[in-house]
Amino acid sequence: ILLCHELPGTKLNKEHFCHRRLLADWIELETGIVVPELTINSDGNKIIEETYDLKPKIKSLIKNYK
């Protein structure tokens, strides 16, 4: 479990950048394990949230450093 106090949001911007999402996308790239964004609503139900995708930027960074 990766926890963060920042709201992930659906778009990448200064107010909603989450370092945990950066790590989650890197884990997905390197292992194939999907790391979803989960929220618990007021009824106690889990909701999978949509979020921005950092994988293209991560791939570009990895390519530049190899």
Side-chain angles (χ1 to χ4, degrees), residues 20-46:
R20 190 206 54 74
R21 186 71 242 161
L22 177 65
L23 179 59
D25 282 350
W26 179 81
I27 289 170
E28 287 184 24
L29 280 173
E30 294 295 314
T31 67
I33 297 169
V34 176
V35 183
E37 291 290 334
L38 295 177
T39 299
I40 307 294
N41 67 14
S42 59
D43 296 330
N45 298 316
K46 289 185 273 186

mmCIF file of all heavy atoms in Angstrom, residues 20-46:
data_model
loop_
_atom_site.group_PDB
_atom_site.id
_atom_site.type_symbol
_atom_site.label_atom_id
_atom_site.label_comp_id
_atom_site.label_asym_id
_atom_site.label_seq_id
_atom_site.Cartn_x
_atom_site.Cartn_y
_atom_site.Cartn_z
ATOM 1 N N ARG A 20 3.422 9.569 -5.112
ATOM 2 C CA ARG A 20 3.019 8.174 -4.995
ATOM 3 C C ARG A 20 2.538 7.654 -6.354
ATOM 4 O O ARG A 20 2.820 6.533 -6.739
ATOM 5 C CB ARG A 20 1.894 8.046 -3.947
ATOM 6 C CG ARG A 20 1.592 6.610 -3.583
ATOM 7 C CD ARG A 20 0.157 6.448 -3.098
ATOM 8 N NE ARG A 20 -0.806 6.967 -4.030
ATOM 9 C CZ ARG A 20 -1.142 6.371 -5.198
ATOM 10 N NH1 ARG A 20 -0.589 5.249 -5.559
ATOM 11 N NH2 ARG A 20 -2.024 6.913 -5.989
ATOM 12 N N ARG A 21 1.829 8.493 -7.123
ATOM 13 C CA ARG A 21 1.365 8.084 -8.461
ATOM 14 C C ARG A 21 2.552 7.868 -9.388
ATOM 15 O O ARG A 21 2.541 6.959 -10.214
ATOM 16 C CB ARG A 21 0.420 9.149 -9.037
ATOM 17 C CG ARG A 21 -0.228 8.759 -10.345
ATOM 18 C CD ARG A 21 -1.267 7.676 -10.146
ATOM 19 N NE ARG A 21 -0.890 6.472 -10.864
ATOM 20 C CZ ARG A 21 -1.367 5.268 -10.633
ATOM 21 N NH1 ARG A 21 -2.254 5.067 -9.684
ATOM 22 N NH2 ARG A 21 -0.964 4.236 -11.312
ATOM 23 N N LEU A 22 3.582 8.686 -9.247
ATOM 24 C CA LEU A 22 4.805 8.519 -10.030
ATOM 25 C C LEU A 22 5.409 7.143 -9.756
ATOM 26 O O LEU A 22 5.744 6.399 -10.680
ATOM 27 C CB LEU A 22 5.800 9.625 -9.687
ATOM 28 C CG LEU A 22 7.153 9.577 -10.360
ATOM 29 C CD1 LEU A 22 7.025 9.774 -11.855
ATOM 30 C CD2 LEU A 22 8.052 10.644 -9.767
ATOM 31 N N LEU A 23 5.519 6.770 -8.496
ATOM 32 C CA LEU A 23 6.054 5.456 -8.135
ATOM 33 C C LEU A 23 5.123 4.340 -8.614
ATOM 34 O O LEU A 23 5.583 3.318 -9.138
ATOM 35 C CB LEU A 23 6.254 5.356 -6.623
ATOM 36 C CG LEU A 23 6.782 4.032 -6.100
ATOM 37 C CD1 LEU A 23 8.130 3.688 -6.726
ATOM 38 C CD2 LEU A 23 6.879 4.050 -4.586
ATOM 39 N N ALA A 24 3.817 4.535 -8.487
ATOM 40 C CA ALA A 24 2.851 3.516 -8.927
ATOM 41 C C ALA A 24 2.979 3.262 -10.428
ATOM 42 O O ALA A 24 2.975 2.105 -10.870
ATOM 43 C CB ALA A 24 1.432 3.962 -8.574
ATOM 44 N N ASP A 25 3.110 4.327 -11.225
ATOM 45 C CA ASP A 25 3.255 4.146 -12.677
ATOM 46 C C ASP A 25 4.581 3.477 -13.022
ATOM 47 O O ASP A 25 4.659 2.662 -13.936
ATOM 48 C CB ASP A 25 3.116 5.485 -13.406
ATOM 49 C CG ASP A 25 1.670 5.928 -13.551
ATOM 50 O OD1 ASP A 25 0.770 5.113 -13.265
ATOM 51 O OD2 ASP A 25 1.439 7.075 -13.960
ATOM 52 N N TRP A 26 5.640 3.796 -12.290
ATOM 53 C CA TRP A 26 6.934 3.144 -12.524
ATOM 54 C C TRP A 26 6.821 1.645 -12.210
ATOM 55 O O TRP A 26 7.312 0.804 -12.968
ATOM 56 C CB TRP A 26 8.031 3.793 -11.679
ATOM 57 C CG TRP A 26 9.356 3.138 -11.872
ATOM 58 C CD1 TRP A 26 10.232 3.350 -12.889
ATOM 59 C CD2 TRP A 26 9.950 2.143 -11.036
ATOM 60 N NE1 TRP A 26 11.343 2.551 -12.731
ATOM 61 C CE2 TRP A 26 11.190 1.798 -11.600
ATOM 62 C CE3 TRP A 26 9.551 1.510 -9.860
ATOM 63 C CZ2 TRP A 26 12.028 0.853 -11.030
ATOM 64 C CZ3 TRP A 26 10.388 0.577 -9.297
ATOM 65 C CH2 TRP A 26 11.607 0.257 -9.883
ATOM 66 N N ILE A 27 6.159 1.295 -11.117
ATOM 67 C CA ILE A 27 5.952 -0.113 -10.759
ATOM 68 C C ILE A 27 5.187 -0.823 -11.875
ATOM 69 O O ILE A 27 5.537 -1.942 -12.270
ATOM 70 C CB ILE A 27 5.212 -0.252 -9.410
ATOM 71 C CG1 ILE A 27 6.139 0.158 -8.268
ATOM 72 C CG2 ILE A 27 4.684 -1.669 -9.200
ATOM 73 C CD1 ILE A 27 5.452 0.296 -6.926
ATOM 74 N N GLU A 28 4.157 -0.181 -12.412
ATOM 75 C CA GLU A 28 3.392 -0.774 -13.509
ATOM 76 C C GLU A 28 4.275 -1.014 -14.727
ATOM 77 O O GLU A 28 4.194 -2.075 -15.363
ATOM 78 C CB GLU A 28 2.210 0.121 -13.885
ATOM 79 C CG GLU A 28 1.101 0.092 -12.858
ATOM 80 C CD GLU A 28 -0.113 0.907 -13.269
ATOM 81 O OE1 GLU A 28 -0.323 1.138 -14.470
ATOM 82 O OE2 GLU A 28 -0.861 1.313 -12.367
ATOM 83 N N LEU A 29 5.133 -0.048 -15.062
ATOM 84 C CA LEU A 29 6.027 -0.199 -16.208
ATOM 85 C C LEU A 29 7.030 -1.333 -16.010
ATOM 86 O O LEU A 29 7.292 -2.114 -16.920
ATOM 87 C CB LEU A 29 6.805 1.096 -16.459
ATOM 88 C CG LEU A 29 6.084 2.187 -17.200
ATOM 89 C CD1 LEU A 29 6.933 3.453 -17.221
ATOM 90 C CD2 LEU A 29 5.759 1.763 -18.620
ATOM 91 N N GLU A 30 7.616 -1.401 -14.844
ATOM 92 C CA GLU A 30 8.690 -2.360 -14.589
ATOM 93 C C GLU A 30 8.209 -3.779 -14.297
ATOM 94 O O GLU A 30 8.912 -4.736 -14.583
ATOM 95 C CB GLU A 30 9.575 -1.866 -13.435
ATOM 96 C CG GLU A 30 10.349 -0.600 -13.755
ATOM 97 C CD GLU A 30 11.369 -0.810 -14.862
ATOM 98 O OE1 GLU A 30 12.109 -1.810 -14.827
ATOM 99 O OE2 GLU A 30 11.425 0.045 -15.776
ATOM 100 N N THR A 31 7.014 -3.912 -13.714
ATOM 101 C CA THR A 31 6.569 -5.244 -13.291
ATOM 102 C C THR A 31 5.294 -5.719 -13.981
ATOM 103 O O THR A 31 4.988 -6.900 -13.940
ATOM 104 C CB THR A 31 6.301 -5.277 -11.773
ATOM 105 O OG1 THR A 31 5.178 -4.448 -11.482
ATOM 106 C CG2 THR A 31 7.515 -4.836 -10.973
ATOM 107 N N GLY A 32 4.540 -4.782 -14.548
ATOM 108 C CA GLY A 32 3.249 -5.145 -15.132
ATOM 109 C C GLY A 32 2.130 -5.206 -14.107
ATOM 110 O O GLY A 32 0.978 -5.457 -14.449
ATOM 111 N N ILE A 33 2.448 -4.980 -12.848
ATOM 112 C CA ILE A 33 1.435 -4.982 -11.787
ATOM 113 C C ILE A 33 0.699 -3.647 -11.824
ATOM 114 O O ILE A 33 1.307 -2.588 -11.705
ATOM 115 C CB ILE A 33 2.079 -5.192 -10.396
ATOM 116 C CG1 ILE A 33 2.759 -6.555 -10.333
ATOM 117 C CG2 ILE A 33 1.038 -5.039 -9.289
ATOM 118 C CD1 ILE A 33 3.631 -6.754 -9.107
ATOM 119 N N VAL A 34 -0.625 -3.698 -12.000
ATOM 120 C CA VAL A 34 -1.433 -2.480 -12.062
ATOM 121 C C VAL A 34 -1.674 -1.970 -10.652
ATOM 122 O O VAL A 34 -2.067 -2.721 -9.755
ATOM 123 C CB VAL A 34 -2.776 -2.752 -12.779
ATOM 124 C CG1 VAL A 34 -3.657 -1.523 -12.773
ATOM 125 C CG2 VAL A 34 -2.509 -3.223 -14.203
ATOM 126 N N VAL A 35 -1.421 -0.680 -10.451
ATOM 127 C CA VAL A 35 -1.604 -0.043 -9.148
ATOM 128 C C VAL A 35 -2.738 0.980 -9.282
ATOM 129 O O VAL A 35 -2.518 2.094 -9.743
ATOM 130 C CB VAL A 35 -0.304 0.656 -8.686
ATOM 131 C CG1 VAL A 35 -0.491 1.257 -7.308
ATOM 132 C CG2 VAL A 35 0.870 -0.311 -8.705
ATOM 133 N N PRO A 36 -3.965 0.601 -8.910
ATOM 134 C CA PRO A 36 -5.103 1.510 -9.101
ATOM 135 C C PRO A 36 -5.166 2.598 -8.028
ATOM 136 O O PRO A 36 -4.582 2.473 -6.954
ATOM 137 C CB PRO A 36 -6.309 0.581 -8.984
ATOM 138 C CG PRO A 36 -5.858 -0.484 -8.055
ATOM 139 C CD PRO A 36 -4.384 -0.679 -8.348
ATOM 140 N N GLU A 37 -5.903 3.654 -8.356
ATOM 141 C CA GLU A 37 -6.236 4.696 -7.386
ATOM 142 C C GLU A 37 -7.546 4.286 -6.744
ATOM 143 O O GLU A 37 -8.551 4.135 -7.437
ATOM 144 C CB GLU A 37 -6.429 6.043 -8.091
ATOM 145 C CG GLU A 37 -5.175 6.644 -8.653
ATOM 146 C CD GLU A 37 -4.236 7.128 -7.582
ATOM 147 O OE1 GLU A 37 -4.682 7.462 -6.457
ATOM 148 O OE2 GLU A 37 -3.037 7.158 -7.863
ATOM 149 N N LEU A 38 -7.547 4.083 -5.453
ATOM 150 C CA LEU A 38 -8.767 3.672 -4.754
ATOM 151 C C LEU A 38 -9.239 4.763 -3.812
ATOM 152 O O LEU A 38 -8.444 5.417 -3.157
ATOM 153 C CB LEU A 38 -8.528 2.397 -3.943
ATOM 154 C CG LEU A 38 -8.198 1.143 -4.722
ATOM 155 C CD1 LEU A 38 -7.922 -0.007 -3.759
ATOM 156 C CD2 LEU A 38 -9.311 0.779 -5.677
ATOM 157 N N THR A 39 -10.545 4.923 -3.743
ATOM 158 C CA THR A 39 -11.181 5.845 -2.813
ATOM 159 C C THR A 39 -12.277 5.069 -2.104
ATOM 160 O O THR A 39 -12.896 4.193 -2.692
ATOM 161 C CB THR A 39 -11.811 7.042 -3.565
ATOM 162 O OG1 THR A 39 -10.789 7.733 -4.252
ATOM 163 C CG2 THR A 39 -12.509 7.990 -2.623
ATOM 164 N N ILE A 40 -12.490 5.384 -0.849
ATOM 165 C CA ILE A 40 -13.607 4.801 -0.111
ATOM 166 C C ILE A 40 -14.655 5.891 0.037
ATOM 167 O O ILE A 40 -14.374 6.955 0.588
ATOM 168 C CB ILE A 40 -13.171 4.312 1.295
ATOM 169 C CG1 ILE A 40 -11.979 3.373 1.220
ATOM 170 C CG2 ILE A 40 -14.346 3.682 2.033
ATOM 171 C CD1 ILE A 40 -12.257 2.067 0.541
ATOM 172 N N ASN A 41 -15.870 5.630 -0.473
ATOM 173 C CA ASN A 41 -16.915 6.654 -0.364
ATOM 174 C C ASN A 41 -17.571 6.608 1.011
ATOM 175 O O ASN A 41 -17.227 5.777 1.859
ATOM 176 C CB ASN A 41 -17.936 6.543 -1.507
ATOM 177 C CG ASN A 41 -18.763 5.286 -1.433
ATOM 178 O OD1 ASN A 41 -18.803 4.584 -0.425
ATOM 179 N ND2 ASN A 41 -19.471 4.993 -2.522
ATOM 180 N N SER A 42 -18.523 7.481 1.242
ATOM 181 C CA SER A 42 -19.164 7.588 2.559
ATOM 182 C C SER A 42 -19.956 6.338 2.939
ATOM 183 O O SER A 42 -20.222 6.101 4.114
ATOM 184 C CB SER A 42 -20.079 8.812 2.609
ATOM 185 O OG SER A 42 -21.072 8.717 1.613
ATOM 186 N N ASP A 43 -20.314 5.514 1.942
ATOM 187 C CA ASP A 43 -21.017 4.259 2.221
ATOM 188 C C ASP A 43 -20.056 3.113 2.530
ATOM 189 O O ASP A 43 -20.478 2.001 2.803
ATOM 190 C CB ASP A 43 -21.884 3.859 1.022
ATOM 191 C CG ASP A 43 -22.984 4.855 0.758
ATOM 192 O OD1 ASP A 43 -23.454 5.500 1.723
ATOM 193 O OD2 ASP A 43 -23.373 4.996 -0.415
ATOM 194 N N GLY A 44 -18.746 3.391 2.441
ATOM 195 C CA GLY A 44 -17.755 2.361 2.707
ATOM 196 C C GLY A 44 -17.409 1.525 1.488
ATOM 197 O O GLY A 44 -16.711 0.525 1.607
ATOM 198 N N ASN A 45 -17.881 1.922 0.313
ATOM 199 C CA ASN A 45 -17.587 1.185 -0.913
ATOM 200 C C ASN A 45 -16.301 1.690 -1.562
ATOM 201 O O ASN A 45 -16.022 2.883 -1.552
ATOM 202 C CB ASN A 45 -18.737 1.333 -1.915
ATOM 203 C CG ASN A 45 -20.020 0.751 -1.383
ATOM 204 O OD1 ASN A 45 -20.030 -0.332 -0.812
ATOM 205 N ND2 ASN A 45 -21.108 1.470 -1.563
ATOM 206 N N LYS A 46 -15.533 0.761 -2.138
ATOM 207 C CA LYS A 46 -14.308 1.123 -2.839
ATOM 208 C C LYS A 46 -14.649 1.602 -4.244
ATOM 209 O O LYS A 46 -15.477 1.014 -4.926
ATOM 210 C CB LYS A 46 -13.355 -0.067 -2.943
ATOM 211 C CG LYS A 46 -12.730 -0.454 -1.628
ATOM 212 C CD LYS A 46 -11.724 -1.547 -1.820
ATOM 213 C CE LYS A 46 -12.456 -2.870 -1.752
ATOM 214 N NZ LYS A 46 -11.581 -4.027 -1.792
#
